[in-house]
């Protein structure tokens, strides 16, 4: 089946399988920053933006993004790079496999929250799992990136 | 002059990884023609395969091949990634007529895509003779039901007796423990259970295979052990190692899981059979159910002391559940003793003994801590119980009895009979003192009650040690090459999986070579170009491979000075190297880039390459003193670790950022072990925690304050005085948190995890009910 959608600012036509989820489709089309870590919508490695809001690509049917706009980290490289500087300054990326999805959630949070508390940050990012870092270094990086006072 | 060591240096691959650059196996494996491999798995915990009918499955369009035990080599082997000769028993085959746990592989299916492969799997008809399983490790020894019907090959005696379901057994010790215990004024005896824990690394297991342009079997794998994978595949597939090419991209976490070659053999088998590229990516469910987990253990600890708190005897009996196969069964079992017995060196009588037993469950395996985590929970819990019995501060009891620098202990890794290894570096006592200050131990211990009386805060502590590499066995190498304008390529096989060994090894080399970090580039991807290294395990990166990097860099410096002397036409001893410049006694000089340029010119004609190799005669232990402050909701049993303080002795801290993150990540993994992570099974042996819905790992909302401080000792055998950091950090949370819960509620949890249910259902303060 064929859908018209917009990915990273470009109109595209995607050929998708019946019942295919967006994470698979995006990887098939070469958006390799999108990682898959579970089959249950539990880890948020696959976070991308659908119309500028973070969604789990593994739980979004590709057929439903027809007519909508998808953003992966490739399209926000500059802002992601700015956040990445804070992440690596803390060593908080470690294996890095959860980082792109995590970063997409962080960038969305920055648009929504001003001067958040630690609780608000942790609440917003709660769905993004990481097994390496223990989260504290990520929190330090996020605080600095958000300019938390 | 250290310029890079000890600083906060970002991981060299960090920015690219955060920005989502393609770097992992599934990103680089973009061959659209690769067959998708899926595995048919046993639905039974124990069964004999009577017949397999694959006719209907083969008729599915797009199915390339279906392999069963009749189609693959019958060579017994172990998936454990260990230096040859591996201690683990050769108790498995690629596919077997007997299946030994729910999830054991029955058939390999390769098809044009995933959907087709799954359709074919559903159409394979298997007739099983279902057998009763043995699931409880306590009932394994001597059970008439056997997990393995024949005695597996072992490379040396590990005490394996398959006819009794014993995978490994051992006893080590010193003195007459029974006699000393009998004479002790105070004896504590307690039995503890540690649960199986899942690695839950974010990138599931995966490998992709093909024949390369030179007709070699190429295997790209998310692995911690590329050299062991090559050896294993060569043996099992009967292909010379020279005909196998291994590629190791970035690895999305491993934690020891990828120290077992869980997946490589299956796509490799398909490629060998079909000549075609093949790809296998484990689902999260397969990663949980069909790889390995931390060995569940039952540990009986006996401690004897006098009334003043002088510990006289330590005895630990360990029953380790290795599940259906003995991957890492003997070694994890040994490490329990190696990393606990030396701690209380004051005890002159000590014994560690027990068994690792087979059961019809998901195999045990290597997981960060590798037995030390389990042993530490038991020993440190017992020490806390002893302190209470003696009415002593548990910190004081430890300070009074712990091993000190320059003391010897026969259980330290690297000891030989009659020649106990010596502890060269430890700041553990200082770690304990500082930890007490940070948590306000004198004021707060053991507990305090909240204003409204519904919550209570408790405090607890524990100490631990690990090792740095495997003494007398593991040997790593680093090769440095001087490139034509004066930068260096550092090649190593230590297999960075996120901990940062690529970066730390460059730091070490750059310091010795007196160059900027950017002048050392790393290559660690293609085994053909790398010197031998066992891989990323046993906390060996910084110490074993780090020492190799140091030696390689020193040799490179020497070689460069010789070459500079030749080009400057002076005697070798007249040349000095400093900060990228070679100075001759009479004032002539060459910069590093001039030297490099000349050496690759017609005039110079010399390619400089230097290799350093290191294997430790000892395995210097890093130490941690961990202090937990928990808040228990007395109405719900909910326990929050509000503050965790870790004081760490890893010798010289090579990279402050990466070391700190290792500590924080290890503590959080330990908190998960302490409070809720638990691999559970149904009554018939089906793993019941096969997703992140059922197996909870800590989220960022579960983690309170974590405070980390390093108190550096100087390890004389370590690179710049360094010891390891990767594993030791996950050992203290369980015993410290359990003690804190006890101090808050009176409930002493001897069977991990200490869930809210257990805490709530235990009687109130002073109850001390065992759940």
């Amino acid at each position: 089946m064929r859908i018209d959608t917009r990915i990273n600012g470009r109109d595209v036509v995607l050929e998708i399988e019946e019942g295919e989820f967006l994470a698979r489709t995006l990887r098939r089309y070469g958006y390799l920053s999108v990682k898959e870590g579970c089959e249950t919508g539990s880890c948020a490695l696959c976070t991308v933006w659908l119309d500028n809001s973070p969604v789990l690509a593994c739980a979004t049917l590709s057929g439903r993004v027809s007519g909508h706009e998808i953003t992966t980290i490739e399209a926000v490289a500059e802002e992601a790079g700015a956040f990445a500087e804070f992440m690596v300054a803390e060593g908080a990326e470690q294996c890095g496999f959860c980082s792109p999805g995590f970063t997409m959630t962080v960038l969305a949070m920055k648009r929504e929250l001003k001067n958040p508390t630690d609780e608000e940050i942790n609440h917003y990012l709660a769905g993004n799992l990481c097994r390496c870092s223990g989260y504290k270094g990520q929190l330090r990086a996020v605080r600095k990136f958000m300019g938390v006072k | 002059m250290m310029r890079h060591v000890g600083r906060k240096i970002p991981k060299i691959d960090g920015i690219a990884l955060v920005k989502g650059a393609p770097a992992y196996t599934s990103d680089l494996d973009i061959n659209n023609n690769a067959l998708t491999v899926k595995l048919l798995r046993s639905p039974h915990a124990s069964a004999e395969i009577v017949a397999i009918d694959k006719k209907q499955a083969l008729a599915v369009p797009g199915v390339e091949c279906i392999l069963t035990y009749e189609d693959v080599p019958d060579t017994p082997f172990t998936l454990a990634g260990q230096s040859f000769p591996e201690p683990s028993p050769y108790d498995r085959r690629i596919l077997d007529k007997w299946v030994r746990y729910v999830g054991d592989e029955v058939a390999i299916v390769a098809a044009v895509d995933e959907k087709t492969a799954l359709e074919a799997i559903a159409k394979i008809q298997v007739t099983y003779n279902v057998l009763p399983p043995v699931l409880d490790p306590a009932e394994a020894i001597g059970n008439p039901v056997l997990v393995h019907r024949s005695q597996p090959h072992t490379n040396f005696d590990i005490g394996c007796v398959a006819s009794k379901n014993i995978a490994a057994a051992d006893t080590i010790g010193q003195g007459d423990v029974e006699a000393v215990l009998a004479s002790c004024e105070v004896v504590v005896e307690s039995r503890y259970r540690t649960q199986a824990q899942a690695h839950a690394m974010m990138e599931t297991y995966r490998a992709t295979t093909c024949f390369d342009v030179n007709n070699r079997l190429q295997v790209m794998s998310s692995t911690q052990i590329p050299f062991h994978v090559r050896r294993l595949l060569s043996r099992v597939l009967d292909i010379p190692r020279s005909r196998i090419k291994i590629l190791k991209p970035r690895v999305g976490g491993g934690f020891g899981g990828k120290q077992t070659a869980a997946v490589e053999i299956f796509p490799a088998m398909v490629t060998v059979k079909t000549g075609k590229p093949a790809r296998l990516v484990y689902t999260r469910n397969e990663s949980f159910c069909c790889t390995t987990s931390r060995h569940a253990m039952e540990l009986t600890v006996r401690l004897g002391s006098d009334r003043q708190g002088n510990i006289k005897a330590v005895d630990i009996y360990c029953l380790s559940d290795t599940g259906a196969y003995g991957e890492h069964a003997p070694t994890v079992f040994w490490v329990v003793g190696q990393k606990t017995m030396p701690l209380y060196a004051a005890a002159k009588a000590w014994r560690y003994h027990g068994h690792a037993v087979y059961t019809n469950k998901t195999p045990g395996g290597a997981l960060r801590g590798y037995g030390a985590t389990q042993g530490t929970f038991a020993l440190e819990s017992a020490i806390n119980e002893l302190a209470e019995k003696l009415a002593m501060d548990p910190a004081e009891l430890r300070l009074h009895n712990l091993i000190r620098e320059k003391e010897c202990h026969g259980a330290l890794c690297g000891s030989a009979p009659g020649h106990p290894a010596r502890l060269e570096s430890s700041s553990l006592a200082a770690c304990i003192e500082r930890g007490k200050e940070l948590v306000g131990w004198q004021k707060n211990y053991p507990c305090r009650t909240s204003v409204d009386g519904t919550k209570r805060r408790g405090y607890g502590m524990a100490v631990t040690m690990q090792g740095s590499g495997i003494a007398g066995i593991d040997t790593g190498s680093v090769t440095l090459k001087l490139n034509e304008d004066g930068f260096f390529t550092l090649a190593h096989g230590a297999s960075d999986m996120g901990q940062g060994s690529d970066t730390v090894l460059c730091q070490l080399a750059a310091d010795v070579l007196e160059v900027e970090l950017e002048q050392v580039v790393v290559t660690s991807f293609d085994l053909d170009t790398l010197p031998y290294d066992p891989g990323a395990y046993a906390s060996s990166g910084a110490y074993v491979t780090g020492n190799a990097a140091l030696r390689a860099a020193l040799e490179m410096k020497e070689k460069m000075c010789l070459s500079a002397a030749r080009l400057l036409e002076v005697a070798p001893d007249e040349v000095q190297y400093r900060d990228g410049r070679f100075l001759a006694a009479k004032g002539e000089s060459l910069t590093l880039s001039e030297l490099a340029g000349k050496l690759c010119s017609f005039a110079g004609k010399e390619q400089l390459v230097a290799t350093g190799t290191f294997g430790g005669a000892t395995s210097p232990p890093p130490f941690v003193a961990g202090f937990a402050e928990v808040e228990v909701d007395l109405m719900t049993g909910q326990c929050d670790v509000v503050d965790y303080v870790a004081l760490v002795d890893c010798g010289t801290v090579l990279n402050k950022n990466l070391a700190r993150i290792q500590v924080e990540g290890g503590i959080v993994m330990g908190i998960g072990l302490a409070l809720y992570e638990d691999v559970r099974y149904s009554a018939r042996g089906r793993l019941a925690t096969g997703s992140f819905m059922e197996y909870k790992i800590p989220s960022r909302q579960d983690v309170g304050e974590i405070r980390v401080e390093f108190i550096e000792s100087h390890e004389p055998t370590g690179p710049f005085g360094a010891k390891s950091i990767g594993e030791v950090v996950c050992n203290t949370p369980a015993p410290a948190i359990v003690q804190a819960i006890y101090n808050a509620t009176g409930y002493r949890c001897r069977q991990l995890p200490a869930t809210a249910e257990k805490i709530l259902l235990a009687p109130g303060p002073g109850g001390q009910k065992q759940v």
Side-chain angles (χ1 to χ4, degrees):
Chain A
M1 131 186 207
R2 207 169 253 251
I3 57 162
D4 293 302
T5 184
R6 201 171 158 77
I7 302 180
N8 296 343
R10 282 205 313 210
D11 292 322
V12 291
V13 179
L14 304 179
E15 192 68 44
I16 61 166
E17 297 269 323
E18 197 182 317
E20 189 174 50
F21 286 97
L22 186 57
R24 276 299 157 85
T25 310
L26 288 173
R27 283 197 64 85
R28 239 176 358 91
Y29 276 89
Y31 300 95
L32 298 174
S33 67
V34 182
K35 309 299 185 203
E36 296 170 280
C38 67
E39 298 91 43
T40 49
S42 311
C43 73
L45 262 58
C46 61
T47 304
V48 297
W49 295 348
L50 183 64
D51 299 333
N52 292 315
S53 289
V55 295
L56 301 179
C58 79
T60 304
L61 280 167
S62 301
R64 297 190 63 176
V65 306
S66 181
H68 293 273
E69 176 162 14
I70 298 155
T71 310
T72 71
I73 200 168
E74 283 90 345
V76 287
E78 198 174 318
E79 204 184 347
F83 176 59
E85 294 287 347
F86 290 104
M87 279 283 277
V88 302
E90 299 294 336
E93 79 286 7
Q94 290 221 308
C95 87
F97 204 69
C98 72
S99 296
F102 173 64
T103 301
M104 289 306 281
T105 318
V106 169
L107 300 190
M109 176 172 67
K110 195 174 187 192
R111 284 157 169 69
E112 281 185 48
L113 305 182
K114 295 288 169 255
N115 203 29
T117 63
D118 285 356
E119 287 67 33
E120 287 168 329
I121 292 171
N122 285 336
H123 180 73
Y124 197 102
L125 301 172
N128 288 85
L129 294 181
C130 167
R131 188 58 152 169
C132 294
S133 73
Y135 301 112
K136 307 306 286 186
Q138 294 187 349
L139 179 63
R140 292 191 290 273
V142 168
R143 274 189 208 136
K144 288 174 188 163
F145 176 64
M146 301 278 289
V148 172
K149 297 186 182 71
Chain B
M1 53 160 316
M2 292 201 298
R3 290 189 288 195
H4 309 297
V5 163
R7 285 179 43 208
K8 292 174 73 169
I9 290 177
K11 220 148 57 64
I12 53 179
D13 53 353
I15 294 277
L17 295 183
V18 175
K19 292 174 74 178
Y24 305 88
T25 298
S26 294
D27 303 339
L28 305 181
D29 147 35
I30 46 175
N31 185 337
N32 291 327
N33 296 318
L35 296 167
T36 296
V37 179
K38 288 278 168 187
L39 303 169
L40 172 65
R41 300 182 175 282
S42 168
H44 306 294
S46 179
E48 179 187 5
I49 296 170
V50 178
I52 303 181
D53 181 351
K54 48 189 185 185
K55 273 198 295 294
Q56 280 186 53
L58 280 168
V60 176
V63 172
E64 182 72 26
C65 74
I66 298 176
L67 306 173
T68 69
Y69 71 91
E70 289 169 318
D71 308 311
V72 299
D74 191 31
T75 312
F77 66 104
T78 175
L79 292 174
Q82 303 176 310
S83 291
F84 186 81
E86 307 99 319
S88 296
Y90 288 9
D91 56 10
R92 71 156 79 220
R93 287 163 171 75
I94 302 172
L95 297 169
D96 202 340
K97 188 176 164 57
W98 304 87
V99 285
R100 298 183 175 86
Y101 74 100
V102 176
D104 213 349
E105 294 84 16
V106 173
I108 308 167
V109 175
V112 289
D113 56 28
E114 185 179 12
K115 198 173 153 194
T116 309
L118 291 173
E119 190 185 337
I121 279 194
K123 291 189 171 170
I124 300 173
Q125 290 172 356
V126 186
T127 311
Y128 295 98
N129 175 24
V130 180
L131 301 162
V134 51
L135 298 173
D136 182 351
E139 293 171 3
I141 297 177
N143 197 308
V145 176
L146 295 181
V147 179
H148 291 270
R149 281 156 194 81
S150 58
Q151 177 73 7
H153 167 82
T154 53
N155 287 316
F156 48 89
D157 183 17
I158 57 166
C160 177
V161 186
S163 61
K164 291 183 176 171
N165 286 325
I166 296 171
D170 200 15
T171 299
I172 57 169
Q174 176 190 296
D176 188 340
V177 170
E178 295 299 339
V180 175
L181 278 172
S183 70
C184 279
E185 293 169 316
V186 182
V187 173
V188 160
E189 175 170 352
S190 278
R191 187 174 295 178
Y192 304 92
R193 179 191 165 276
T194 62
Q195 78 279 37
Q197 182 181 28
H199 304 87
M201 71 295 277
M202 287 294 120
E203 182 201 35
T204 61
Y205 299 78
R206 59 197 63 195
T208 180
T209 55
C210 65
F211 282 108
D212 78 351
V213 69
N214 298 319
N215 204 31
R216 296 165 75 211
L217 177 65
Q218 177 177 301
V219 181
M220 183 156 59
S221 169
S222 176
T223 182
Q224 298 172 224
I225 44 157
F227 281 91
H228 295 333
V229 165
R230 183 168 70 184
R231 189 186 70 241
L232 183 155
L233 291 178
S234 162
R235 213 180 128 265
V236 179
L237 299 173
D238 196 21
I239 299 172
R241 274 181 241 186
S242 61
R243 304 308 301 164
I244 300 176
K245 181 181 185 70
I246 306 278
L247 303 174
K248 184 222 70 108
R250 305 321 299 168
V251 174
F255 310 111
K258 294 170 184 173
Q259 195 200 338
T260 299
V263 292
E264 292 85 351
I265 189 75
F266 303 114
M269 197 68 245
V270 168
T271 293
V272 166
K273 285 279 181 183
T274 65
K276 295 183 179 178
R279 169 194 299 137
L280 175 57
V281 178
Y282 267 15
T283 62
R284 178 58 61 186
N285 183 261
E286 283 177 302
S287 290
F288 273 117
C289 301
C290 316
T291 59
T292 57
S293 62
R294 189 187 292 288
H295 288 86
M297 291 184 183
E298 191 177 277
L299 299 128
T300 306
V301 184
R302 293 191 296 164
L303 300 176
S305 92
D306 63 18
R307 289 199 196 287
Q308 291 70 47
N310 296 299
I311 299 176
K312 305 285 187 191
V314 179
D315 181 47
I316 298 182
Y317 173 80
C318 171
L319 182 70
S320 172
D321 183 356
T322 195
Y325 298 100
E327 268 101 36
H328 303 277
T331 34
V332 167
F333 167 76
W334 297 337
V335 167
V336 173
Q338 281 175 7
K339 310 307 179 199
T340 52
M341 291 297 140
L343 272 177
Y344 296 95
K348 297 305 170 207
W350 56 271
R351 179 173 60 181
Y352 172 70
H353 55 132
H355 303 89
V357 297
Y358 288 118
T359 59
N360 292 108
K361 292 190 294 198
T362 298
L367 203 170
R368 194 180 201 177
Y370 204 86
T373 311
Q374 296 95 314
T376 299
F377 172 67
L379 175 64
E380 288 299 284
S381 293
I383 291 286
N384 285 330
E385 294 195 39
L386 176 64
E388 185 184 36
K389 214 163 177 176
L390 291 164
M392 256 181 103
D393 178 345
E396 291 309 314
L397 177 62
R398 289 181 169 91
L399 287 168
H400 199 61
N401 289 282
L402 283 170
I403 190 166
R404 303 273 170 152
E405 269 183 10
K406 311 304 174 195
E407 277 190 87
C408 296
H409 198 285
L412 279 172
C413 187
S415 297
H419 298 279
R422 195 165 83 148
L423 177 68
E424 298 294 347
S425 62
S426 169
S427 65
L428 183 54
C431 288
I432 294 173
E433 298 289 6
R434 177 67 180 146
K436 286 176 65 179
E437 269 174 51
L438 286 174
V439 297
W441 190 255
Q442 300 298 9
K443 178 163 61 85
N444 292 323
Y445 187 84
C447 69
R448 56 200 171 97
T449 306
S450 70
V451 183
D452 66 359
T454 61
K455 289 181 176 167
R456 198 170 297 144
R457 292 206 169 188
Y459 297 79
M461 71 164 295
V463 301
T464 190
M465 59 177 276
Q466 197 84 30
S468 302
I470 304 174
I473 293 176
D474 285 340
T475 300
S477 294
V478 165
T479 298
L480 280 164
K481 174 164 74 81
L482 175 64
N483 297 306
E484 66 274 18
D485 72 345
F487 73 101
F488 301 88
T489 304
L490 184 152
H492 75 95
S495 211
D496 196 334
M497 56 176 150
Q499 77 277 42
S501 48
D502 279 5
T503 304
V504 169
L505 295 172
C506 286
Q507 284 178 248
L508 289 166
D511 267 10
V512 176
L513 295 167
E514 301 177 38
V515 296
E516 295 303 320
L517 191 64
E518 294 71 29
Q519 280 175 267
V520 183
V521 300
V522 76
T523 179
S524 56
F525 174 60
D526 178 349
L527 232 58
D528 288 340
T529 66
L530 309 179
Y532 181 80
D533 195 285
Y537 62 87
S539 293
S540 60
Y543 182 76
V544 176
T545 317
N547 262 320
L550 196 71
R551 281 158 174 71
L554 288 169
E555 189 188 306
M556 175 56 83
K557 202 151 83 171
E558 232 177 88
K559 285 185 167 177
M560 290 193 304
C561 286
L562 280 176
S563 301
R566 176 169 68 85
L567 294 173
L568 291 169
E569 297 179 340
V570 297
D573 60 358
E574 288 179 44
V575 172
Q576 277 201 332
Y577 177 72
R578 191 172 307 139
D579 288 340
R581 187 173 280 274
F582 300 88
L583 303 162
K586 292 172 203 145
E588 309 94 320
S589 77
L590 268 178
T591 65
L592 176 56
S593 77
E594 285 167 350
L595 173 78
K598 283 193 182 188
L599 288 178
C600 67
S601 73
F602 188 77
K605 284 196 221 56
E606 191 182 14
Q607 172 64 61
L608 290 189
V609 176
T611 295
T613 298
F614 180 81
T618 60
S619 174
F623 295 97
V624 174
F627 294 78
E629 177 182 350
V630 305
E631 183 173 86
V632 179
D633 185 327
L634 301 174
M635 311 301 287
T636 65
Q638 168 75 26
C639 170
D640 292 322
V641 181
V642 291
D643 189 18
Y644 202 91
V645 175
L647 288 302
V648 183
D649 166 20
C650 60
T652 302
V653 179
L654 295 175
N655 183 318
K656 288 207 161 67
N657 271 354
L658 303 186
R660 181 180 181 185
I661 287 286
Q662 285 277 51
V663 182
E664 292 174 347
I667 286 169
V668 170
M669 202 175 233
I671 290 173
L673 181 82
L675 294 180
Y676 36 79
E677 288 188 41
D678 192 7
V679 174
R680 293 188 304 272
Y681 291 85
S682 74
R684 297 174 67 185
R686 176 180 288 273
L687 194 140
T689 46
S691 78
F692 283 130
M693 313 284 272
E694 296 129 322
Y695 187 90
K696 179 176 162 49
I697 65 168
S699 83
R700 69 191 71 235
Q701 286 182 307
D702 300 316
V703 182
E705 192 66 34
I706 296 175
R707 292 186 281 167
V708 176
E709 281 190 20
F710 294 95
I711 298 182
E712 295 190 351
S713 63
H714 187 270
E715 171 53 43
T717 66
F720 293 97
K723 300 187 280 191
S724 84
I725 184 77
E727 295 185 273
V728 70
V729 291
C730 65
N731 299 340
T732 60
I737 288 169
V738 159
Q739 175 70 0
I741 292 169
Y742 172 74
N743 285 330
T745 67
Y747 161 58
R748 193 183 292 284
C749 178
R750 296 192 180 93
Q751 302 197 354
L752 292 177
T755 59
E757 290 89 333
K758 286 185 193 169
I759 295 170
L760 186 67
L761 294 174
Q768 293 195 44
K769 181 187 169 192
Q770 280 190 54
V771 176

